[in-house]
């Protein structure tokens, strides 16, 4: 109680408490803004993971379609996916920017960035196998000998549907999923920290407001009260009546 009394009686206490409330309010706003930034980063992570997975799946599907049907349309679609990812062709939204440049625009940690770029590199490595399968198809098309032609076609299909291809494909999926899990875990931890800090600051603000009210109330109680002094009213002197002279 002695400490509280000293605080209440300190002349500059209202200004100090008001300053604490102001600074804590700014800190709370900063915490909420950081939480909002984290949500934006999480949305970018989900979007880029989707783009990576979709481009990888599109390459696989178009390559398998071409190997199966020998239709050049699918090879064109395959090459377009690579060109979009490399920034040589505009995407569906009309944006011409490489996947690597898009990733670097988001404030990921270096570990997260490396993980997502690793997924892209694995997909590029798998594209080399797919291009190799295309080469077998190109060898088989002009071949007159049916058996040799079928040998080339089967070699292409083995590359696209074999166990090694499935293993490499799964590695891309796992790497992309690991990237997203890393981002979620980091942002969740930071979000909990900022929310805890925000609620602590809000508690400090409420206590400071209560203290400020007590200080103002205390100052009002100890303020000296003015006592009105009544002025004495001077007595009026009533003149004495003169005695009448007796009649002669």
């Amino acid at each position: 109680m002695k400490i509280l009394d000293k605080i209440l009686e300190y002349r500059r206490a209202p200004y100090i408490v008001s300053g604490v409330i102001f600074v804590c309010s700014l800190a709370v706003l900063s915490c909420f803004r950081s939480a909002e930034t984290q949500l934006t980063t999480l949305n970018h992570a989900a979007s880029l993971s989707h783009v990576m997975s979709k481009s990888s799946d599109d390459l696989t599907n178009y390559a398998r379609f071409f190997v199966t049907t020998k239709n050049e349309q699918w090879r064109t679609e395959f090459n377009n996916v690579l060109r979009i990812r490399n920034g040589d062709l505009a995407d569906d939204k009309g944006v011409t920017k490489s996947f690597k440049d898009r990733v670097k625009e988001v404030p990921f940690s270096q570990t997260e960035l490396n993980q997502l770029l690793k997924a892209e590199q694995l997909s590029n490595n798998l594209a080399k196998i797919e291009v190799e399968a295309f080469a077998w198809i190109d060898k088989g098309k002009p071949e007159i000998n049916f058996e040799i032609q079928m040998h080339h076609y089967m070699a292409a299909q083995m590359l696209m549907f074999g166990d090694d291809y499935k293993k490499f494909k799964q590695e891309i999926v796992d790497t992309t999923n690991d990237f997203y899990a890393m981002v979620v875990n980091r942002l969740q931890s930071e979000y909990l920290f900022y929310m805890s800090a925000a609620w602590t600051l809000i508690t400090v603000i409420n206590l400071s407001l209560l203290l400020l009210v007590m200080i103002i109330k205390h100052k009002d109680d100890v303020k000296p009260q003015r006592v009105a002094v009544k002025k004495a009213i001077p007595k009026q002197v009533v003149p004495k009546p003169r005695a009448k002279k007796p009649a002669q």
Side-chain angles (χ1 to χ4, degrees):
M1 294 299 295
K2 291 182 178 180
I3 298 177
L4 180 59
D5 292 339
K6 290 182 179 179
I7 294 175
L8 295 177
E9 294 173 0
Y10 187 57
R11 187 174 59 181
R12 296 185 179 179
Y15 306 103
I16 296 175
V17 175
S18 299
V20 170
I21 294 173
F22 177 74
V23 172
C24 289
S25 300
L26 293 180
V28 169
L29 292 176
S30 178
C31 288
F32 286 132
R33 184 172 297 178
S34 297
E36 184 180 357
T37 302
Q38 290 171 338
L39 180 60
T40 302
T41 302
L42 182 61
N43 291 335
H44 281 303
S47 176
L48 290 171
S49 296
H50 174 72
V51 170
M52 184 67 252
S53 298
K54 185 178 184 304
S55 64
S56 178
D57 291 342
D58 287 344
L59 290 173
T60 296
N61 293 332
Y62 294 149
R64 285 177 172 175
F65 291 161
F66 176 72
V67 167
T68 303
T69 65
K70 321 300 186 296
N71 189 334
E72 288 294 331
Q73 173 191 352
W74 301 118
R75 174 150 48 185
T76 301
E77 294 291 343
F78 176 90
N79 291 329
N80 287 340
V81 173
L82 288 179
R83 291 176 63 193
I84 292 173
R85 198 158 73 180
N86 293 332
D88 299 327
L89 184 68
D91 59 10
D92 296 336
K93 298 180 180 179
V95 179
T96 305
K97 186 178 295 184
S98 69
F99 180 77
K100 185 176 295 185
D101 290 338
R102 295 185 185 189
V103 170
K104 291 182 178 180
E105 291 177 351
V106 184
F108 295 128
S109 68
Q110 189 61 45
T111 303
E112 296 162 354
L113 181 63
N114 293 339
Q115 189 73 5
L116 187 55
L117 293 180
K118 177 184 176 182
E120 183 193 18
Q121 185 59 47
L122 290 173
S123 181
N124 290 336
N125 293 339
L126 191 61
K128 296 177 182 178
I129 297 178
E130 293 158 350
V131 171
E132 184 180 349
F134 295 168
W136 281 108
I137 297 297
D138 292 337
K139 288 181 181 179
K141 279 185 177 181
E143 184 61 52
I144 299 176
N145 189 307
F146 179 76
E147 292 185 358
I148 297 177
Q149 186 183 57
M150 286 298 99
H151 171 74
H152 292 330
Y153 289 169
M154 285 298 298
Q157 292 184 8
M158 286 298 297
L159 285 175
M160 290 303 307
F161 294 94
D163 293 336
D164 288 341
Y165 186 90
K166 295 178 181 178
K167 182 181 69 175
F168 296 146
K169 180 68 177 178
Q170 188 60 44
E171 188 177 1
I172 297 172
V173 174
D174 293 340
T175 303
T176 305
N177 291 338
D178 289 343
F179 156 76
Y180 185 71
M182 290 168 62
V183 175
V184 169
N185 291 335
R186 176 178 65 84
L187 295 181
Q188 184 177 18
S189 177
E190 292 181 358
Y191 178 82
L192 292 176
F193 169 78
Y194 283 119
M195 288 300 98
S196 298
W199 282 112
T200 301
L201 291 169
I202 291 173
T203 303
V204 173
I205 291 173
N206 291 331
L207 293 176
S208 299
L209 287 172
L210 179 61
L211 181 59
L212 184 60
V213 172
M214 293 174 63
I215 293 172
I216 295 174
K217 182 70 170 57
H218 177 74
K219 290 186 178 298
D220 290 338
D221 292 340
V222 299
K223 187 180 297 183
Q225 298 181 354
R226 294 182 179 179
V227 179
V229 180
K230 294 183 179 180
K231 294 183 178 180
I233 301 175
K235 294 182 179 181
Q236 294 181 354
V237 179
V238 180
K240 293 180 180 182
R242 294 181 179 180
K244 293 182 179 180
K245 293 182 180 181
Q248 294 179 355

